[in-house]
Amino acid sequence: MDKQKQIVEMFDEIAPSYDLANRVLSFGVDVKWRKEGCIKAIGRLGKEKNLKVADLACGTGDMILHWQKYLGEGCEFVGIDPSAQMLEVAKKKVQNASFIQAQAQEIPLESESVDIVSIAYGLRNVCGYQEALKEFYRILKKGGVLLILEFTHNPTPTLFERSAKFYTQKILPLIGGLISKNLKAYQYLPNSIEAFASTRELREELERVGFVKVWSKSYSAKLSTLFLATKE
Ligand SMILES: C[S@@+](CC[C@H](N)C(=O)[O-])C[C@H]1O[C@@H](n2cnc3c(N)ncnc32)[C@H](O)[C@@H]1O
C-alpha cells in the first residue's frame, strides 16, 4: 500500500479518540496556538466579515471552530480532509460548515476563490507537501492569507529543547497509544516530525511557491510553529 494511503487509514482508525488524545497530549495548549494564529491571520487580512475559509487536513474540525469564534458574520467555512472517519467526527461537531473528502495535493476548489487557507498539524502528513503549498497558492485570492501550524523538525535543539523532544519522542507515543489503543499511530507522530522540514526549510518553500511576507513564530521549546504567508 502506498505511504499516503497508509497515513490516511491510520487517521481513520484513531478518529474516535483523536480529540481526547489531542487535548491530553498537548495539555490543552494547542488552543492558545490556534487562537493566536487566527487572530494574527485576521489582523493581517484586515477584514473579518464575508470571507471564505478553507481548512485543509481539517480532521475533526477544531480549526474551523476557532475560525468561527474569531471571524465575523457572512463567512463561509469548508473543511477538507481525505479521512472519511475524521470527517464523520467533524460533521457531528461543527455547524455551519461544509466538508469535502479530498487531499491537499489536489484541492477541488476554484483558483483564487478563498480568502484564508489554514492547515493545522496536517502538512507533515501530506506526501509531497510542496504540491499542497502550490495548491494553497492557487486557491487563495490575491491578498489572501495562509496559516500553517506544524511540528517542524528542529535540527539544532538546545538542552531545554532536547528535553521537550524527549517528551514527543518517548512519552507522547505511550500516552497516545494508551488512549487510542493504537501505539503504531502515535509512534508515527515523532517519526513524521523528524522526517519533516525544519522551520527554515518550510519558510524557503513558501517563498519558492510565491508567497510573500512569510513570518513564523515557534512555541513551547520550538515544538509547534505558526507560519503566516500572503499571496500578493
Ligand atoms: C494531526 S491531524 C490534524 C487535524 C486537524 N487539522 C487538527 O488541527 O486537529 C492530521 C490530518 O491530516 C489529514 N491528512 C492526511 N493526509 C492528508 C493529505 N494528503 N491531504 C490533506 N489532509 C491529509 C489526516 O486525515 C488528519 O485528519
Side-chain angles (χ1 to χ4, degrees), residues 5-15 125 182 184-186 188-189:
K5 209 167 162 209
Q6 272 180 10
I7 292 171
V8 176
E9 279 195 9
M10 189 191 73
F11 280 104
D12 273 333
E13 284 169 20
I14 62 170
N125 305 298
N182 189 331
K184 219 172 118 204
Y186 283 87
Y188 159 80
L189 181 78

Side-chain angles (χ1 to χ4, degrees), residues 60-131:
T60 60
D62 270 11
M63 204 60 204
I64 300 181
L65 288 177
H66 276 77
W67 286 123
Q68 289 182 338
K69 207 163 162 186
Y70 301 109
L71 282 170
E73 63 200 35
C75 292
E76 189 187 336
F77 305 93
V78 54
I80 301 170
D81 198 290
S83 161
Q85 299 309 316
M86 293 293 269
L87 288 176
E88 274 310 301
V89 179
K91 284 175 195 164
K92 287 188 191 123
K93 215 168 90 181
V94 185
Q95 312 298 312
N96 304 318
S98 59
F99 292 95
I100 305 173
Q101 189 178 5
Q103 310 225 41
Q105 300 95 319
E106 206 174 339
I107 305 173
L109 293 181
E110 281 180 25
S111 300
E112 311 216 329
S113 64
V114 304
D115 301 278
I116 295 175
V117 169
S118 59
I119 181 161
Y121 310 108
L123 198 58
R124 238 176 334 109
N125 305 298
V126 178
C127 297
Y129 76 91
Q130 293 86 346
E131 283 311 304

Side-chain angles (χ1 to χ4, degrees), residues 135-149:
E135 279 291 84
F136 302 162
Y137 192 83
R138 180 185 67 77
I139 65 170
L140 271 173
K141 293 178 189 168
K142 290 197 172 70
V145 173
L146 168 67
L147 178 161
I148 301 173
L149 272 165

